[in-house]
Amino acid sequence: MCGFVCLWNVGDEALAAAMIDKIAHRGPDAVAVARAPHAPVVMAHCRLSIIGPQDGAQPIHQGDDILVVNGEIYNHVDLRAILGESVFETKSDSETILHLSRNASQRWVSQLDGMFAFVLATRGRILAGRDPLGIKPLYVARLGGGFAFASELKAFDGLAVSDIEAIPPGSLFDSDGDMRRWFRLPHGAAEPETGLDEQATWRELRLVLEDAVKKWMVADVEVGAFLSGGLDSSIVAALAARAAPSRLKTFSVGLDGSPDLVAARRVAAHIGSEHFEHAFTPDDVARVLPHVIYHLESADVDLVRSAVPTHFAAALARRHVKAVLTGEGADELFAGYTYHHAYVDRPRALADELTRSLATMHNINLQRVDRITMAESLEARTPFLDRDLIAFAQAIPASLKMRRTDPSAAESTGPTTEKWVLRKACQDLLPHDLIWRKKAQFDEGSGTVEALSEALMIMEGAKAPLDREAEGAVYERLLRARYRNPERVLANAGRWEAGRVALAV
């Protein structure tokens, strides 16, 4: 996992070095700046060594081509076999992009399976691509008569750039042509077809989940797992514990005695992981809040609330591992949010909403996960967002994801049960009461909302809790204080609640 900067038709090594320094937290293992001899390009890269740690330095420079990559290519071994091992000079998965791009296929980028952002320059052309869901960030801006690319917005801060925009998920920027979409999110199914075998569906889902977790654990370093005690992270941790080559390390945070800490201990004991936890206080939250908001690149109230426990979890995990698995994406795939319950009798509308929310994750929850973990030099992996798992989950009828249930039944979370098919697929992995535990948001189950309320009162010298509007104003003020050009950051930030409106019952 890494961060990078690329300057095309503008700038020099000193400018690239200054920009990469602003995002050096993304890759503390090595920093390098290189100018291509036969192309108008300068690239800078900061590296967190995960795959090919001995010989995977970047920028990768071969002949007239120069490449920087952020992310992981999980099918790189298969691609190496297809492309021929003799053309490779390193064991790095990133080098696969260089050789695949030389393939005659116009859709070569679609063969990459993983989470990634890259910029590839040749003598007279530059390409910049991003993974299907936008798990890894990539921004482009105008700078003078050329382009500047960077992994985070803060790399542009203080520079005379214009027209900053995120390269869309599943897209390829080409200086010789237009931006093109190489990936289209499959639309979600609504009602089951005649004769659908529900048991066969959830059993197959389980197999796809197992494959996804195994794939996303590929690394030359140890991979741990965040464990909130909620359904999604518990499923990922349970599957990872079975697939890990050694005892899995899990990490949980919250206020002392919070529901998440208690549930996570039970899950860890059940799956046999080596468990670590950290109990934070309102004073701790007040201390780290400016740091969290600066790295988050957003002042959205809901994102900040969930970013705070993510920060503490990332800081804890980084003391033990370089990479962790997370449960991100399960709510969008399997209808896990509170507002989804209003769609229980409208499966077509629910399927549409799930598809829409998946497409917006890149600048909402995925932004939070990427920025906050990378601020601590930790790689976060999201197996629920595996391409094969997305395709399978989107084909599962929405009516199997959110169901009306008997609240007194053992297999329910109330009159409507979210993520029903996911719970059925994994019901043997965890104790019954944990599989059918009612969802709590990460910021709620960890006690973050309570801690933030107290922290804000401390920071503002207030005698009563701040309302939501005042809370958001504090976050925006903290963000503005850290940036020379805060408007650029605010203009590019997503809002969690944007477009998420429950249907009238």
Side-chain angles (χ1 to χ4, degrees):
M1 196 58 60
C2 313
F4 63 71
V5 165
C6 176
L7 302 175
W8 175 259
N9 275 332
V10 65
D12 54 25
E13 289 91 337
L15 178 58
M19 292 177 70
I20 200 69
D21 186 60
K22 296 175 185 176
I23 58 172
H25 49 271
R26 297 185 68 91
D29 294 338
V31 177
V33 180
R35 176 187 288 274
H38 304 298
V41 62
V42 176
M43 291 184 175
H45 189 270
C46 54
R47 185 177 185 224
L48 181 65
S49 305
I50 302 292
I51 295 178
Q54 303 304 319
D55 62 355
Q58 295 191 43
I60 298 173
H61 193 179
Q62 293 183 15
D64 291 334
D65 300 340
I66 185 169
L67 169 74
V68 281
V69 183
N70 168 29
E72 308 290 352
I73 310 301
Y74 295 121
N75 64 334
H76 74 101
V77 173
D78 293 338
L79 291 174
R80 280 173 175 267
I82 295 169
L83 295 166
E85 189 67 38
S86 62
V87 303
F88 286 83
E89 297 181 5
T90 74
K91 297 297 183 184
S92 170
D93 58 313
S94 296
E95 190 183 348
T96 308
I97 294 174
L98 183 67
H99 301 296
L100 194 62
S101 69
R102 295 166 175 170
N103 190 301
S105 170
Q106 292 295 309
R107 284 184 44 78
W108 61 269
V109 69
S110 66
Q111 298 179 51
L112 298 171
D113 186 4
M115 55 178 188
F116 56 83
F118 68 84
V119 177
L120 170 63
T122 60
R123 274 182 178 263
R125 185 184 186 191
I126 193 162
L127 301 173
R130 198 171 177 197
D131 67 64
L133 270 292
I135 300 171
K136 297 288 76 179
L138 181 55
Y139 296 92
V140 61
R142 294 274 182 181
L143 179 58
F147 294 103
F149 300 84
S151 297
E152 296 187 18
L153 289 166
K154 57 181 63 67
F156 300 119
D157 197 37
L159 301 182
V161 297
S162 61
D163 302 323
I164 300 175
E165 61 177 327
I167 290 180
S171 296
L172 187 70
F173 171 97
D174 188 341
S175 61
D176 279 355
D178 297 328
M179 187 92 68
R180 70 179 180 87
R181 292 287 297 274
W182 60 268
F183 177 84
R184 297 284 175 177
L185 190 67
H187 207 85
E191 297 277 11
E193 66 269 21
T194 302
L196 177 73
D197 187 331
E198 292 185 355
Q199 186 177 65
T201 300
W202 77 63
R203 284 183 172 175
E204 190 66 21
L205 172 59
R206 169 61 171 274
L207 297 178
V208 179
L209 276 166
E210 291 175 355
D211 285 347
V213 171
K214 288 177 184 176
K215 182 197 300 184
W216 287 62
M217 292 186 74
V218 171
D220 292 328
V221 298
E222 186 176 8
V223 178
F226 283 167
L227 181 56
S228 71
L231 180 68
D232 310 331
S233 66
S234 297
I235 286 173
V236 169
L239 293 173
R242 297 185 175 194
S246 58
R247 190 181 180 194
L248 180 73
K249 290 182 172 67
T250 53
F251 308 94
S252 181
V253 299
L255 287 180
D256 191 27
S258 63
D260 276 4
L261 283 181
V262 174
R265 286 176 204 148
R266 285 192 61 205
V267 174
H270 185 81
I271 67 176
S273 65
E274 183 180 357
H275 191 56
F276 302 87
E277 63 180 44
H278 170 70
F280 56 79
T281 67
D283 285 331
D284 294 330
V285 174
R287 174 178 51 82
V288 305
L289 195 54
H291 169 87
V292 168
I293 290 173
Y294 170 71
H295 282 286
L296 179 62
E297 299 185 334
S298 173
D300 178 76
V301 170
D302 292 296
L303 283 185
V304 173
R305 287 178 176 181
S306 56
V308 168
T310 303
H311 161 78
F312 289 116
L316 172 63
R318 188 59 182 90
R319 296 201 290 268
H320 303 277
V321 296
K322 277 189 169 184
V324 291
L325 302 178
T326 82
E328 230 63 47
D331 289 324
E332 287 79 5
L333 281 176
F334 298 103
Y337 290 120
T338 300
Y339 80 99
H340 289 150
H341 287 267
Y343 290 82
V344 65
D345 296 322
R346 302 170 174 89
R348 178 69 269 159
L350 176 57
D352 293 345
E353 170 58 14
L354 296 179
T355 303
R356 187 202 66 80
S357 60
L358 278 168
T360 64
M361 287 190 73
H362 63 282
N363 70 341
I364 305 175
N365 278 341
L366 290 179
Q367 177 171 322
R368 168 183 56 82
V369 172
D370 172 82
R371 300 301 192 282
I372 301 304
T373 57
M374 292 308 294
E376 305 305 314
S377 304
L378 179 75
E379 174 178 292
R381 298 182 171 192
T382 54
F384 273 111
L385 297 179
D386 178 77
R387 279 176 69 175
D388 292 336
L389 178 51
I390 289 172
F392 189 85
Q394 285 289 86
I396 296 175
S399 57
L400 297 188
K401 299 174 181 181
M402 180 67 70
R403 300 194 87 164
R404 286 204 176 275
T405 49
D406 180 352
S408 65
E411 294 185 350
S412 77
T413 63
T416 55
T417 296
E418 74 278 8
K419 293 190 280 201
W420 181 85
V421 70
L422 179 62
R423 296 174 194 271
K424 293 294 289 184
C426 301
Q427 58 190 339
D428 63 311
L429 286 176
L430 299 163
H432 183 275
D433 63 315
L434 291 177
I435 281 288
W436 297 98
R437 179 190 179 200
K438 189 173 181 63
K439 178 182 175 60
Q441 301 295 130
F442 189 20
D443 52 4
E444 296 169 346
S446 63
T448 304
V449 174
E450 174 188 343
L452 258 172
S453 180
E454 292 188 36
L456 290 169
M457 291 171 63
I458 293 170
M459 296 171 67
E460 297 298 291
K463 295 182 179 180
L466 277 63
D467 61 25
R468 186 181 178 89
E469 183 178 354
E471 181 182 355
V474 173
Y475 299 157
E476 182 172 333
R477 187 185 75 226
L478 291 173
L479 185 146
R480 288 180 177 277
R482 294 295 300 272
Y483 284 93
R484 293 175 62 184
N485 307 113
E487 296 298 339
R488 296 173 180 171
V489 178
L490 293 168
N492 278 277
R495 293 187 301 112
W496 195 94
E497 67 270 32
R500 287 167 163 79
V501 181
L503 294 177
V505 178

